[in-house]
Amino acid sequence: GGSLALPFMRQTLRRKRDEEDPAGSKRLYSHPARAARTHKMTTKSSRTSGSDLMSGKAQAIENLAKEMTWWKTIHLKTRETVNFVSLTEDFGIRGFKYSDYENFETSNGERYSSFTHILFDDAQRRQENYFDGRKGAVVHYQEAHPEKQQSVAIGPAFDNEAAIGGTARPMPFKFFYVGKSPLYEALDHAKFLGVVSGPLGTCEKYEFDDAVFAKVKLKLHYYLDEKTSIPHRVDAYDASGVATSHPNFTWEAKAVEIIDGHPFVTASVETNYDHRSGGKEVLCTIDVETKEVRFNTAFQKGSFRPVIEPGAIVHDAFKKKTILPPREQAPTPTNDTAAIAVSPFDWTSYASY
């Protein structure tokens, strides 16, 4: 989700830091439409006073709820280009050069995403993720043959959201969430820090304590555009970052366009800091380009279930076992008969559903 490279990088750097200084060292998703209905009920409850309803926070919640629930589908394609500053020595040619993301989801909670990481040695790492409302599947492809499936993991969640405790969506869309909760829902519990200058104009600044981001509890500062309330900047601090006032990372919008009458961030940058230097030095920056975003597009039946290819190993969390693919009998070659390709297996062929 978002940049999958950075959690791996941070874990590697954390291990390096610990080696150098040992002493220093079931809700699957939040359904936007359902959450909107929940929010309408909670704003009428006793915990929200009349003065709060007239506050800037209440207006921000209303704006965000509108921006996150007006569509029935969203189809997003982005590219993240990594600009290394001090990471090259740690990762060399196995570092990520850029990543292409595709994210498609419906207001009913059905989701699909894919990403392809291009490494500095031009190798590819490809993955697809599916969720049909009941079951999820993660499809890994072979690095040597990125067109061929290597394994399929079937479980109750989308992508790695159950493990990381947050949303697995690409930037900038992932910043419309705090953990797994839509931003307009989470904002009810945020602390208002005042009106400040943001990267593209005046913003309202909010603080979230103990938000989970890639398995790490962070303090998040959100800068919401004063007029539209969409995120224009996010600062993330872990415990050491709070103590030194140096963030783990900062994300900033660079351009916003109106698409189908609604604002959407089309260019942004994430800056990641090196906590081996106390957060003073930049590890890398990630330029995020929104290549395409479309709303309310049609989709085919079965778009949110994988087609499992012959040869892929299936790990089924529901059956609690690993299922090897059926054996294939090689056709006998003849002078006048070509080898017959085996048809792909569908979701139900040898995985449980």
Side-chain angles (χ1 to χ4, degrees):
S3 174
L4 298 183
L6 266 297
F8 165 74
M9 294 176 182
R10 293 187 185 112
Q11 290 171 7
T12 302
L13 293 172
R14 195 174 294 118
R15 286 195 299 270
K16 284 178 172 286
R17 181 188 63 193
D18 294 343
E19 290 170 0
E20 294 167 1
D21 182 17
S25 356
K26 158 172 159 188
R27 178 180 178 182
L28 305 180
Y29 59 87
S30 186
H31 185 304
R34 190 175 302 153
R37 291 193 294 270
T38 301
H39 169 67
K40 288 179 181 178
M41 290 186 288
T42 56
T43 53
K44 296 179 181 179
S45 68
S46 58
R47 67 183 180 85
T48 307
S49 67
S51 60
D52 285 336
L53 289 174
M54 299 300 291
S55 70
K57 179 192 282 191
Q59 184 62 56
I61 291 172
E62 182 180 331
N63 292 345
L64 285 165
K66 179 184 70 174
E67 292 302 329
M68 295 184 70
T69 60
W70 72 270
W71 47 263
K72 293 183 178 179
T73 68
I74 180 172
H75 191 182
L76 175 66
K77 294 181 180 180
T78 66
R79 170 166 289 187
E80 298 182 5
T81 304
V82 183
N83 306 297
F84 290 97
V85 177
S86 61
L87 277 177
T88 307
E89 64 185 49
D90 298 303
F91 297 97
I93 63 172
R94 301 305 293 173
F96 295 102
K97 188 169 16 177
Y98 66 86
S99 301
D100 287 327
Y101 291 88
E102 182 175 4
N103 187 86
F104 185 81
E105 60 186 270
T106 75
S107 59
N108 291 326
E110 300 156 310
R111 296 169 65 183
Y112 165 83
S113 73
S114 69
F115 63 79
T116 302
H117 295 315
I118 306 299
L119 281 64
F120 273 100
D121 58 2
D122 290 324
Q124 294 186 27
R125 292 181 182 172
R126 182 184 170 204
Q127 179 177 316
E128 291 183 321
N129 309 290
Y130 298 82
F131 192 78
D132 67 357
R134 293 200 305 127
K135 289 188 176 184
V138 177
V139 181
H140 292 281
Y141 287 80
Q142 300 176 25
E143 187 170 316
H145 301 283
E147 76 284 356
K148 294 182 179 180
Q149 293 179 358
Q150 178 171 317
S151 64
V152 180
I154 298 172
F158 179 76
D159 194 358
N160 61 349
E161 288 186 348
I164 66 174
T167 184
R169 292 175 169 91
M171 295 185 280
F173 194 37
K174 75 175 181 181
F175 294 114
F176 279 85
Y177 292 80
V178 178
K180 297 179 189 177
S181 299
L183 181 54
Y184 61 83
E185 187 181 74
L187 200 60
D188 254 353
H189 311 286
K191 179 181 179 182
F192 178 62
L193 298 182
V195 177
V196 298
S197 178
L200 297 176
T202 304
C203 291
E204 294 179 350
K205 185 176 180 180
Y206 293 89
E207 181 178 270
F208 297 89
D209 280 319
D210 295 330
V212 177
F213 197 96
K215 296 185 180 180
V216 179
K217 283 190 175 182
L218 298 174
K219 182 188 294 290
L220 300 178
H221 288 168
Y222 267 69
Y223 296 68
L224 306 183
D225 179 63
E226 188 177 41
K227 294 180 180 178
T228 66
S229 302
I230 69 169
H232 277 188
R233 174 172 171 158
V234 177
D235 298 333
Y237 301 83
D238 65 8
S240 62
V242 170
T244 61
S245 298
H246 292 297
N248 289 49
F249 71 84
T250 293
W251 171 83
E252 283 192 339
K254 295 299 182 183
V256 174
E257 295 182 19
I258 303 300
I259 301 172
D260 291 348
H262 296 264
F264 199 88
V265 175
T266 53
S268 60
V269 62
E270 182 181 273
T271 303
N272 292 268
Y273 295 92
D274 189 347
H275 272 239
R276 295 175 298 181
S277 64
K280 297 178 182 178
E281 296 182 6
V282 175
L283 282 173
C284 67
T285 61
I286 303 176
D287 293 319
V288 185
E289 176 191 2
T290 299
K291 300 177 75 69
E292 182 180 355
V293 58
R294 291 183 293 162
F295 298 97
N296 300 327
T297 57
F299 57 91
Q300 295 181 345
K301 183 179 180 181
S303 297
F304 305 103
R305 298 182 181 181
V307 174
I308 302 173
E309 298 174 354
I313 298 173
V314 177
H315 306 281
D316 193 324
F318 294 98
K319 286 190 173 182
K320 297 182 179 179
K321 65 180 181 180
T322 297
I323 307 167
L324 298 176
R327 291 187 177 183
E328 302 169 28
Q329 184 175 355
T332 303
T334 64
N335 293 333
D336 56 354
T337 304
I340 301 172
V342 180
S343 298
F345 293 98
D346 65 15
W347 177 267
T348 61
S349 290
Y350 58 98
S352 66
Y353 191 78

